[in-house]
């Protein structure tokens, strides 16, 4: 089969009479795939229950005519304005009670909303029934960037707190913890008289970041939202597959604003592909940052049935968010080459033509706004020629080094440190001495340091530590603040069997629920006595009994393996590109047996 | 007639027994006019429907006795507390749903509120009937600074979003666009599934500034608010004129916080005067900034029946907002002289005496707080002597140079760039690389540069470009980002007939609705091929095909005239007082034939 | 009796089976007192009306067994989650209408809420009846830090504005002002048409800080909240005393975020002790700042029946708020010594053991998190040995110098200057040229300057100026912006009888309601003519007629005493540790007769 190489193009946003010519041009550019539909609920169901397929038929038929396949989006990410007229109390709710906008920003509906789910399911069924046998259909996309939380211009913190979410959160907590007694214990509700005496007492954790909310509830709140999104994606995929078992189903996501959103590693069992949306100049990425994104996403799909796709690769000037940086053209060739080298099985640019209206006016177009050619189009044509012979480009590989991303530690670090907060005239900010992105900056720091040395890198996640399947020579484990006993035992055994573990401050201070261990796991691992941790300008410093207070790396042989433990936030230092520590890491990694 | 020279003095805020003496002193200082009433609703209608005129009669009678005329304010700007008791849901609503305060800050009511309008109309009728023949009456003021949006201490963004405003916005949109089809097209609602399938679906644009709201709806929202205020002012003026056709009616406004408010150029046909409120030291104005304010306001009134007045000129120390800077006295003479030179037909200082209580305690008084004399009073006396012979001061003039202020471009630039927004730990701000006040800073920059060269300047507005009446030799046109075809054609014709147009980056990229032109108008004007625009540290840089990327000014003869186009934000550079570009502008302006 | 020397330990947060051993260890460490209960409503009344005393009995019995006394807290500071299920509309309300969280942050209920009061009263009765004769009972604590306002992560401004508070505010205002006429006069409601025509019109002052709310209403709002809290504490104490007249009753508080909270000087007549909670490293205190806190709190209790206690002295690493600074151990000895030297009659550390869960995980423990010993425990043991012979430590003293803290001036200064406010693109901040903490920084400045010279210092308050009992040689009076005639007359008389008054800019500009005096009191005091005040980089500068504009100190003999008046904010200069002004103050203070 040809390598699926495509582009986004929204036929609903352009005059009907221009479509034939446009698809012809897309084909001529060398694309074999086009993506649309995922934001077009109003186009397909302009009034509740009144479906309008003429236009979509027309677009798909034209694609078939021109020999282009379609990645067809099922548009459930945003609801049309009629939804909010029909269901008055369905705007997403911020943690402080503010209602998010009913149109404009996205998403404008909570995925836990049962009325939304009903209409979305119906949309999925209708669309799949109609187009499952269409010759142009290549695969399905459900939702669009489902991890994206509702945002308004003042809020940057959290997910929807509506009554639907509250009920779903209660049900989730009931299922997870079984009894109120257990739930209260895990959530540490005895602190400040928060014991729930009925499941009905439970509300979503408000003011969730800084001011004294239980860190344990906050962890579960983020886990609930992850599960809720994952289940919803799975549910949509199941609906699609029941009607059409023959086409692949997937969805997409992005990296960034990581701490504000639940686990991006949310691939349900029935998903066939998981696509990365990536905007290198919009996000001001260095080459290593872009490689990081590719390896991170590839690692998400590792061990799942889902293929690693690039669903949106920046095709033109960025607008609306991030940096409005331009794309000249030639850089697109390098981006494509790297994507394939890192394992992408499908690649689409975003987008064919810059929209002339809307919130992203003028953005992302391969073509000029008047439809004329650009150096970007020339680049696409060159890519198209090479990509047919894709085998030569794709490098199959298995890394010997893994960097672990521990989501629970990230969430907990964020919750404890909170967003910068000023209390008028008293404190400028609270605990900004530490910083907010402990884990993400740490793993980026480690990745950058190793990327320069051409190391091949996998990312691993809590699921890997849980399973204990760790086929690596070296594991880099930053900010392992929360670590379950099970995860720890797997790690320790892996070291004893010959692994080299490189880790840093706060190793195993807390369990998976954010409760302090009486004896931090580092004590068992190194045979030391932990005293306390203090913040230092860059991160944290652990104090061990009898050891000097200064920054140091302690190494210890464990049977056939070795632990290298920095008593400070080593990987945050790497993010700053501190050459001293880059050199140290390189040494630890390249010479594991002498570490 | 004597030049109307007055001062604000609120008789309701001082003991009744002191009024006689006070008016005598005001007269003795040389004032022939006093202004009061505009904030005294509670004084005149202390209970709903219960009018209390004894006090007002007394104040007016005393004025008559002392030979002072009265600029009588009809107090509809703020409602008394009883209004919010009577109409429970009448507090103004912020875009995020927050209710604005019911008392304290102003305004505390939405001008679209129909209950407010009913009471305000009644107040206007009652007052005009009673005082239309009073010998002291000089003219009427309706409302007070009607452009002022509701503010609380956290919000700086927008107008009221109450249900009254929503209904009025729908009616306005229906009238403007006729059909839903047309409205959806103009508002670009196909983007992100926002198509309105019923007029009833329409809500006011929330989170309006940054996060993905339609820029087209946002433009219309600002236009609606302008029209709504203008119509209301017109409606009040009509009520007054129906009862009293003999006295002038006007209202006042201010410059500043320009981007947050609708068009200040909101003079309805039936308004006789439009007054500027200006606080030179409170706003830390340089001399040229004060001159700018005068010319800007004078230009608002150009072509209307409304006279240019100064309704409030700072008379004492600033308080509450801006800089609490003092006024010594002598500077008041210069301010007056300049006001008259720039065409003011009436001038009042604010205020006679500093209030001893309230939110502006101690502010703005010509007198000392104990009522004793000051150097400011001495200045007033000197001014009063000269102002009688005002003919010698007022310079009639018609500028050869105009600076165009394009409100639509300003609103669009603001909406696209948004207020600084921080997303915890990820982006410090979004697109502050450009800045928020593109147009206003640009025209101030151009004005400052020319002011130093003693150029006489008019400001022109979209209405002037719409009409095509452009009696100038040179037009300076910054940030002409949005330009209708009609405006463009008028401009081009004017150039061809001998005009010199000086403009800068982003010329004619968008039409009047904020849709991108496929072919930006600069292509037609200069016969070039536009490629793209990128942000640079100060503003924007246009890239033209085949032209070097650097900052440059391209001039082109067009029949008998000439266009000078800077491919960068030239006028923002001027605001920074960059001497290089000041020199360039001076050359372009002073030598138009060789430009 | 032994000196009461104790520690916080929450038996509800630890396994039942560990309690016996823990109390034995606490005793062994040398403590004779343990504090718990104050946050344990959910432990004692897990369901509304269902009381559960078995656990509490157990804890108290164990204390008795080990010979430890108990400071038993009556847990009414936070309500359990069932309260908000039972009373749906009982979440505290921010001034902009935002509802504060129902659990997590504290407090989660408004003390004006009548349903809360009913349940809290019941809790107090039940607890006192049950334990009044328990052999371990030492004394009662009602509430916990009752001055603490509801907080969420975005709000730092104000107290609860719920309907209960509104009704209580109206009742308070009716009682204070008697008639609407008087209330409107005092509140200056004529300004901007805010006259209340019915008591029912009154709402709590919203947007209270900056934007144009009446400063007079704002003063009364803060006074109301102080009185409301004080009355509630008194009411709880009365309930306790009616049932148990034999044990002392008190409550606790803290210094910091002073401007946001009402008067901390809120000791009702029936309170037996008032405890300070103080965290020297958490608040990054210098030695003199800690001494300041001690003297300030001691001064609160002066002239009341309440003893000065230290209810919480930092016993371990700070967490959650402030700086997460560590406590090594030895510094605890110095803190204790100073506390006793400054008059503390009881001292408890916070806390015995760091919690393993909750919002303060790992914080404040004397022990290590695994329960093992630390240098802090060693320090405690040393302290325990010395404290038995406490007579030698406690220095009885009466200061000759007093620093006056004028709460009304502080509130007014804060309200007028407001929190930093940015209006997008226009003003960076409003009036930050002055600063927000005028009074508190001033008195800290004066204290620091004198502390270095080993001066013994009392603080005095408005109540002292009101009574006229001023047994000092020198009074330092910063920011005497608001001063009633009565307070002034007492001060003047005291000077005439031989006192030395050292004061600074803005002396007596306003009366106790925040109305400007026509003739500022400084005119009478010094026989000068006041002109105006302007902000300068550090504070304010008064201009006096005929005097040069520069910074100066004017001294004047008044009969047998002397006034030293700085025409600028002298004490803010001291806070900056400006050596010039420290020297001047030292001279003025040490040589009063030659000042």
């Amino acid at each position: 089969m040809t390598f699926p190489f495509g582009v986004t193009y929204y036929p609903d946003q352009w005059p009907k009479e221009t479509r034939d010519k446009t698809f012809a041009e897309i084909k001529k550019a060398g694309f074999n795939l086009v993506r649309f539909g995922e934001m077009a609920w109003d186009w397909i169901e302009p009034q509740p229950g009144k479906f309008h397929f003429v236009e979509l038929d027309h677009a798909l038929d034209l694609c078939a005519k021109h020999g282009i396949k379609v990645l067809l989006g099922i548009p459930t990410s945003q609801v049309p304005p009629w939804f909010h007229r029909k269901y008055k109390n369905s705007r997403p709710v911020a943690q402080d009670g503010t209602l998010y906008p009913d149109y404009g920003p996205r998403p404008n509906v909570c995925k836990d909303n049962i009325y939304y789910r009903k209409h979305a399911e119906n949309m999925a069924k209708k669309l799949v029934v109609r187009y499952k046998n269409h010759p142009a259909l290549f695969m399905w996309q459900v939702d669009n960037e489902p991890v994206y939380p509702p945002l308004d211009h003042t809020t940057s913190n959290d997910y929807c707190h509506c009554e639907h979410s509250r009920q779903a959160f209660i049900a989730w907590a009931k299922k997870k913890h079984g009894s109120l007694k257990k739930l209260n214990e895990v959530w540490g509700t005895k602190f400040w008289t928060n014991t729930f005496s009925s499941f009905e007492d439970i509300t979503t954790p408000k003011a969730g970041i800084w001011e004294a909310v239980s860190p344990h509830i906050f962890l579960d709140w983020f886990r609930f939202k992850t599960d809720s999104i994952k289940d919803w994606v799975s549910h949509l995929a199941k609906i699609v597959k029941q009607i059409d078992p023959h086409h692949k189903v997937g969805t997409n996501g992005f990296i960034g604003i990581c701490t504000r959103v639940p686990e991006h590693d949310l691939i349900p069992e029935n998903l066939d592909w998981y696509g990365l949306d990536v905007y290198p100049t919009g996000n001001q990425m260095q080459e290593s940052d872009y490689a990081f994104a590719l390896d991170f996403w590839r690692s998400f799909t590792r061990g799942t049935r889902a293929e690693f796709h690039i669903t949106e690769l920046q095709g033109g000037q960025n607008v609306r968010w991030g940096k409005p940086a331009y794309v000249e053209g030639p850089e697109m060739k390098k981006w494509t080459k790297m994507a394939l080298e890192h394992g992408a099985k499908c690649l689409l640019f975003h987008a064919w033509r810059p929209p002339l209206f809307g919130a992203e006016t003028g953005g992302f177009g391969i073509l000029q706004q008047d439809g004329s050619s650009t150096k970007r189009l020339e680049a696409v044509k060159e890519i198209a020629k090479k990509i047919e012979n894709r085998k030569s480009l794709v490098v199959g590989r298995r890394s010997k080094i893994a960097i672990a991303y521990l989501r629970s530690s990230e969430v907990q670090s964020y919750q404890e440190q909170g967003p910068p907060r000023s209390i008028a005239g008293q404190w400028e900010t609270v605990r900004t001495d530490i910083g907010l992105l402990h884990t993400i900056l740490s793993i980026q720091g480690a990745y950058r340091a190793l990327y320069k040395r051409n190391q091949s890198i996998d990312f691993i996640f809590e699921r890997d530590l849980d399973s204990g399947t760790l086929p690596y020579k070296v594991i880099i484990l930053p900010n392992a603040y929360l670590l379950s006993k099970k995860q720890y035992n797997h790690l320790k055994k892996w070291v004893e069997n010959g692994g080299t573990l490189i880790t840093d401050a706060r190793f195993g201070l807390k369990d998976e629920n954010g409760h302090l261990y009486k004896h931090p796991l580092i004590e068992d691992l190194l045979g030391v006595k932990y005293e306390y941790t203090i913040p230092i300008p860059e991160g944290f410093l652990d104090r061990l009994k009898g050891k000097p207070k200064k920054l140091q790396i302690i190494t210890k042989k464990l049977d056939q393996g070795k632990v290298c433990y920095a008593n400070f936030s080593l990987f945050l230092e790497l993010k700053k590109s501190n050459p001293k520590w880059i050199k140290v890491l390189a040494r630890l990694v390249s010479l594991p047996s002498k570490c």
Side-chain angles (χ1 to χ4, degrees), chain A:
Chain A
M1 203 208 91
T2 323
F3 186 90
F5 177 55
V7 71
T8 310
Y9 175 75
Y10 299 112
D12 49 319
Q13 295 189 15
W14 297 92
K16 194 171 181 177
E17 59 276 16
T18 63
R19 288 181 201 150
D20 193 19
K21 182 161 169 275
T22 298
F23 285 120
E25 287 169 351
I26 288 172
K27 179 71 181 179
K28 201 176 151 199
F31 290 116
N32 53 49
L33 185 62
V34 73
R35 170 172 169 258
F36 54 77
E38 77 276 10
M39 302 292 273
W41 194 331
D42 59 351
W43 195 38
I44 301 169
E45 190 183 5
Q47 298 276 359
K50 304 269 166 62
F51 284 81
H52 176 78
F53 288 116
V54 181
E55 296 269 324
L56 195 51
D57 288 352
H58 178 245
L60 280 153
D61 292 349
L62 286 174
C63 289
K65 169 182 159 188
H66 291 290
I68 310 175
K69 291 284 182 180
V70 176
L71 164 43
L72 188 55
I74 297 169
T76 63
S77 157
Q78 286 283 90
V79 293
W82 58 250
F83 182 84
H84 287 291
R85 177 163 40 102
K86 200 169 159 71
Y87 303 101
K88 287 295 180 206
N89 296 310
S90 287
R91 286 166 63 188
V93 182
Q95 58 93 4
D96 68 353
T98 304
L99 298 178
Y100 289 100
D102 44 1
Y103 67 88
R106 76 184 161 96
N108 63 349
V109 66
C110 174
K111 295 197 195 309
D112 297 322
N113 184 298
I114 58 172
Y115 308 113
Y116 155 74
R117 290 198 166 200
K118 193 184 70 174
H119 281 275
E121 285 165 5
N122 190 38
M123 167 62 78
K125 284 176 193 162
K126 280 282 201 311
L127 220 59
V128 180
V129 166
R130 188 169 189 96
Y131 296 111
K132 63 176 176 172
N133 296 320
H134 196 287
L137 182 67
F138 181 64
M139 56 184 179
W140 297 103
Q141 177 186 325
V142 293
D143 206 298
N144 188 65
E145 296 179 346
V147 293
Y148 207 128
L151 288 175
D152 71 8
H153 81 293
T154 58
T155 307
S156 58
N157 291 322
D158 200 359
Y159 275 79
C160 176
H161 289 252
C162 71
E163 181 60 19
H164 296 271
S165 276
R166 189 178 84 89
Q167 291 298 344
F169 181 49
I170 291 174
W172 180 94
K174 202 180 276 185
K175 190 174 164 201
K176 175 172 181 185
H177 298 293
S179 68
L180 263 184
K181 189 167 176 301
K182 176 73 177 165
L183 174 145
N184 278 309
E185 200 181 299
V186 171
W187 286 3
T189 52
K190 275 179 188 164
F191 186 84
W192 286 7
T193 214
N194 292 159
T195 306
F196 294 105
S197 57
S198 151
F199 278 106
E200 260 315 294
D201 284 356
I202 298 173
T203 57
T204 59
K206 283 166 283 290
I209 309 304
W210 182 78
E211 179 58 36
V213 82
S214 155
H216 326 298
I217 303 180
F218 199 74
L219 271 171
D220 264 0
W221 168 244
F222 265 60
R223 287 169 179 152
F224 153 69
K225 280 287 177 183
T226 299
D227 285 352
S228 167
I229 294 169
K230 189 171 175 176
D231 288 351
W232 173 237
V233 167
S234 175
H235 182 68
L236 283 175
K238 194 177 152 200
I239 287 173
V240 174
K241 282 169 175 292
Q242 277 172 343
I243 303 170
D244 175 7
H246 302 299
H247 291 93
K248 288 179 181 168
V249 184
T251 193
N252 58 338
F254 57 93
I255 297 175
I257 26 179
C258 278
T259 51
R260 293 187 302 117
V261 295
E263 179 61 274
H264 286 70
D265 175 18
L266 42 62
I267 304 173
E269 285 188 3
N270 60 356
L271 213 69
D272 300 310
W273 60 269
Y274 191 37
L276 170 67
D277 299 345
V278 61
Y279 291 81
T281 77
N283 268 326
Q284 306 184 61
M285 288 172 161
Q286 299 178 16
E287 181 186 312
S288 64
D289 298 330
Y290 174 60
F292 164 83
L294 297 171
D295 272 341
F296 205 65
W297 212 263
R298 177 180 58 73
S299 298
F300 277 158
T301 62
R302 199 193 54 244
T304 76
R305 73 182 290 166
E307 293 174 350
F308 164 36
H309 288 188
I310 310 279
T311 307
E312 298 179 8
L313 179 56
Q314 187 173 0
Q317 185 166 18
N318 208 69
V319 293
R320 191 176 64 78
W321 57 271
K323 190 173 168 65
Y326 197 66
V327 174
E328 290 289 347
E331 62 273 50
M332 297 164 75
K333 291 184 277 187
K334 188 176 184 191
W335 295 343
T336 307
K337 185 164 176 288
M338 285 177 67
L340 271 63
E341 283 171 356
H342 284 77
K345 305 289 184 220
C346 171
L347 187 146
L348 296 104
F349 278 102
H350 183 82
W352 180 246
R353 224 180 137 162
L356 301 179
F357 56 82
E360 295 186 342
T361 309
F364 310 117
I366 289 170
L367 300 190
Q368 185 70 352
Q369 67 198 52
D370 64 359
S372 61
S373 182
T374 63
K375 289 184 184 158
R376 293 183 297 282
L377 183 60
E378 291 167 26
V380 163
K381 288 179 178 170
E382 287 184 49
I383 294 165
K385 272 173 208 154
K386 288 194 184 164
I387 215 165
E388 301 232 9
N389 185 22
R390 72 188 169 97
K391 303 275 181 234
S392 67
L393 284 169
V394 182
V395 176
R397 64 176 180 180
R398 162 56 84 184
S399 176
K400 290 178 180 172
I401 301 179
I403 299 174
Y405 175 71
L406 302 186
R407 179 66 186 171
S408 298
S409 289
E410 176 80 334
V411 169
Q412 184 90 142
S413 299
Y414 178 50
Q415 189 271 334
E416 286 183 356
Q417 296 157 25
R421 170 198 167 98
S422 91
I423 294 182
Q426 298 274 353
W427 299 304
E428 278 282 298
T429 49
V430 173
R431 302 188 64 169
T432 48
D433 45 325
I434 298 169
L436 288 175
L437 299 166
H438 199 125
T439 300
I440 196 79
L441 294 180
S442 292
I443 63 173
Q444 285 176 351
Y447 189 91
R448 272 194 197 176
L450 298 175
Y451 184 77
K452 287 175 185 161
R453 277 159 182 79
N454 290 312
Q455 296 290 346
S456 175
I457 311 281
D458 272 7
F459 287 90
I460 59 174
F461 306 97
E462 289 191 64
R463 57 171 148 117
D464 299 296
L465 299 187
D466 287 337
S467 75
T469 307
L470 303 166
Y472 302 97
K473 294 255 188 264
V474 177
I475 291 177
I476 290 172
L477 182 68
N479 193 27
Y481 184 36
L482 270 67
L483 214 53
S484 73
K485 283 266 171 70
K486 188 180 177 190
Q487 292 168 344
Y488 172 72
N489 289 334
H490 285 149
L491 266 176
K492 194 178 175 188
K493 196 168 176 189
W494 167 84
V495 173
E496 290 166 347
N497 287 333
T500 296
L501 174 66
I502 306 172
T503 190
D504 66 352
R506 306 206 298 173
F507 180 93
L509 291 191
K510 288 190 156 194
D511 70 16
E512 66 274 28
N513 292 314
H515 290 235
L516 273 187
Y517 284 114
K518 281 189 196 171
H519 296 284
L521 301 172
I522 194 69
E523 296 193 348
D524 178 75
L525 190 67
L526 294 187
V528 295
K529 174 75 184 148
Y530 168 86
E531 287 202 320
Y532 59 86
T533 300
I534 50 165
I536 55 174
E538 192 66 34
F540 294 96
L541 178 69
D542 287 347
R543 180 80 201 277
L544 303 184
K545 198 156 195 174
K547 303 271 182 188
K549 278 186 183 178
K550 60 168 190 166
L551 308 195
Q552 61 199 284
I553 292 178
I554 296 169
T555 67
K556 193 188 174 193
K557 276 192 162 278
L558 244 71
D559 208 340
Q560 302 169 49
K562 192 164 286 192
V563 178
C564 310
Y565 154 79
N567 74 330
F568 61 100
S569 301
L570 168 65
F571 304 99
L572 290 179
E573 291 290 338
L574 294 172
K575 177 67 182 182
K576 288 190 306 180
S577 302
N578 182 325
K580 175 183 168 189
W581 298 116
I582 289 176
K583 217 173 287 175
V584 167
L585 184 70
R587 187 169 48 79
L588 297 176
V589 166
S590 60
L591 304 164
S593 60
K594 298 185 210 161
C595 151

